[in-house]
Amino acid sequence: MRSISDISFCRALVLTTLFLGEYSIAVPVDCNRPTSKTAKIVIVGAGIAGIGAARKLLKQGFTDVQILEASSQPGGRIKGSLFGKSVLDEGPQFIHGATMKNPIFRLATECGLLQEATNNSGTDWSVFTNTQKQLGPDFVETLRNLSTFLHMQAYLQIQNNTRLKSIWDVYEVGINELIKNWTDDSPNVRSQKLGGLNLMMKNECAFFATPNLHDVSLQQISEYGPIEGGDRNSPGFFPKLISCLMEDIPREKLLLEKPVKQIQWNENFESCDGTTHPIKVVCEDGEFFLADHVIVTVSLGYLKGEADTLFHPKLPEEKLNAIKSLGFGTVNKVYLEYEIPFWENSQHWIGLLWEDETPFSGLKPNIAEWWRRIYSFYMLNPVERYGHMLLAWSSGRETEFMETLCEEEIASNITRLLRQFLGRPVPQPKHVFMTKWFSNPYIRGSYSHTSINSTGDMFDTLAEPLPQEKGDGHLSEMLQVLFAGEATYRRYHSTTHGALLSGWREADRLINHYSIFEGQQLQTKHVA
Ligand SMILES: Cc1cc2nc3c(=O)[nH]c(=O)nc-3n(C[C@H](O)[C@H](O)[C@H](O)COP(=O)(O)OP(=O)(O)OC[C@H]3O[C@@H](n4cnc5c(N)ncnc54)[C@H](O)[C@@H]3O)c2cc1C
Ligand SMILES: *[C@@H]1O[C@H](CO)[C@@H](O)[C@H](O)[C@H]1NC(C)=O
Ligand SMILES: *[C@@H]1O[C@H](CO)[C@@H](O)[C@H](O)[C@H]1NC(C)=O
Ligand SMILES: *[C@@H]1O[C@H](CO)[C@@H](O)[C@H](O)[C@H]1NC(C)=O
Ligand SMILES: *[C@@H]1O[C@H](CO)[C@@H](O)[C@H](O)[C@H]1NC(C)=O
Ligand SMILES: *[C@@H]1O[C@H](CO)[C@@H](O)[C@H](O)[C@H]1NC(C)=O
Ligand SMILES: *[C@@H]1O[C@H](CO)[C@@H](O)[C@H](O)[C@H]1NC(C)=O
C-alpha cells in the first residue's frame, strides 16, 4: 500500500495507475512532492539536538538525511578531552533531573551507561579568605542560609510578574534586608558575609552563564523548569552517550569539517534528477546540498554573530530580534593536575572569598584582575581515575579574556592565588587545561538565558519554522527551515535534555507532516 509514495511510480507519469489487489484506480501523483522516503533533509550541526533529530528521522523511515558538522567530531558542546590520565568533560557533566522523566537519563539507561555513579568521597567544604582565614562548615552553612533567603525572595517576586526586573534587583533588596540584622556582627564578620555573598554571586553567574546578574531577567527563574531527581554528577558520561547514539547513524549520514556558509530558502532549485527543492545549503568549501527541509541546530551564540548572512533571504525581523535579545554567555572550566595533592582526602570543595568585595561592587567586569572570577575548586574523585585533579569554574568577560592567555600564565596566577588564600606553600600544577567556549568559532559561548532585554516567548519565537505563513498546502513550500538546539526549548533551555528534546520536536514535526500528507494520499486513493 505504501508503494503509492514510491518515487519510482512517479518519475514517468503524472497520472499513475496503480494495481492494488482487486482494485485498479487512478490517482494523481505530484512528482515534485517528496515523501517520507524521498524527502531530502539536511541537519546543520551534530550536537545532541542534531544527532537526536537525525536518529529519530532515520528510525521513522526517512532515508535521505544528511548532517553537516563544522568541527572534526560529533557532540558539539558535549566534548571530552584526553588530559592526564583520563577523559575530562569540557562541557556538561550533570544530568539535571536524574529520573526517567529526563530523556537524557532514559537514553543513558538504554545505552547501559548509568552504572557508574560518581563517588564524592570528600565531604569537607571550606572557604578561605584573602587574609588567610579558613572559614569552616558553619560559615558555609550561614552562606547557604543567606542564599536560600535570596532565592526565596526571587521566587516570591516572580508571582508579581515583574518582567523588567533583573535577578540582581531582587537580590539587592534582599541583601539590604539581611544586613539590617547584622548589627551584632563585628566589621570583620560583616565583610566576610558580604564577601561570601559575592562568592555566591560569582557562582550564580557561572550557573546562568552571564557576566552579571543585572543582565539576567527575573523571568529566567520561572522560565526554566527543573526536572525532579536532583543533579547527577556524571563525569565522562556525556561523550559516551554521544558515541552510543552515533551507533544508530550510518557513517555516511554525517559529514565532519563541513561548515555551512549559507542556507538559501524559499526558492526552486532544480537537481540533476529533475526534482526541485526549496532549499540550497551551501558549505564553506563551495559544495552544496539541495533539500526539502533543513534543521538548523547551531548555537544562539553562533546565530548572534552570523544570522544576518547565514540565511538568504534574511530571517524575519521577529526572529532576528529574539536572537539579539536572548542571553548567551560564557562559563569555562579549568582543570589543574598536581603531582602531589596539597589538600586533605576529606576535602571536597574550597571557595575563595575576597573580604574587600561586596555583591554591590563585585559584579562589574574586572578584566585586569580576571583571577577574581576563579572562585572555587572541586576535588575530582576517584584519584585512581583522575590523579590529583582540581576543577575550577570561571565566567563572564573575565573568562572570555582568560581564553586569550596561555595556560602557564593561568597556572602561575592560580598558584599565586592559592598561596595567598591558603597561606602555605602550594605547588605549581603539573598540567593545566582550560576550555575555550567563547573563542570556539562555531559555539561562541556556553549556553542561553533569559536576559534582561528578552522574554521567555523569545525561545518559542526561535523555534518557529519558516516560512511563517502557511503556503497553499503544497508540501515543498512548508516547513522549509526548522530550528532546534538548546536555546529553542523554552522550558529546558541551557541543558542537554532541552537540546535533545528540541531535536526530537523538529523530527516529529516532519514525521507528523508526512504522515498527514501520506494519509491524505491514501484517502484520495480510496475516494477514487
Ligand atoms: C561548560 C558547559 C557546561 C555545561 N553543563 C551542562 C550540564 O551540566 N548539564 C546539561 O544538561 N547541560 C550543560 N551544558 C549545556 C549543554 O552542553 C548544551 O545545552 C547542549 O549540549 C547543546 O546542544 P545543541 O545540540 O543545542 O548545540 P551544540 O552542541 O552547540 O551543537 C551545535 C553544533 O553545530 C555546529 N555548527 C555551528 N555552526 C555550524 C555551521 N555553520 N555549519 C555546520 N555546523 C555548525 C557546532 O560545531 C556544534 O557541533 C553545559 C554547557 C557548557 C558549555
Ligand atoms: C566510594 O567510596 C567509598 C569510601 O571511600 C568506598 O567504600 C566505595 O567502595 C566507593 N564506591 C565506588 C563505587 O567507587
Ligand atoms: C540555617 O538554617 C537552618 C534552618 O532554618 C537553621 O536551623 C540553622 O541554624 C541555620 N544555620 C546557620 C549557621 O545560620
Ligand atoms: C508584590 O506586589 C505587591 C504590590 O505591589 C506588594 O505589596 C508585594 O509586597 C509584592 N510581593 C513581594 C514578594 O515583593
Ligand atoms: C531579622 O531578624 C528578625 C528578628 O529575629 C526576623 O524576624 C527577620 O526575619 C530577620 N530578617 C531576615 C531578612 O532574616
Ligand atoms: C539590553 O539592551 C540595551 C539597549 O539596547 C543594551 O545597551 C544592553 O547592553 C542590553 N543588555 C543585555 C544584557 O543584553
Ligand atoms: C598573572 O597574569 C598577569 C596578567 O594576565 C601576568 O602579568 C602575570 O605574569 C601572571 N602571573 C602571576 C604570577 O601573577
Side-chain angles (χ1 to χ4, degrees), residues 115-122 382 384:
Q115 300 94 332
E116 255 187 288
T118 334
N119 208 348
N120 287 333
S121 48
E384 303 80 61

Side-chain angles (χ1 to χ4, degrees), residues 149 177-178 181:
F149 173 78
E177 277 297 303
L178 289 168
N181 277 9

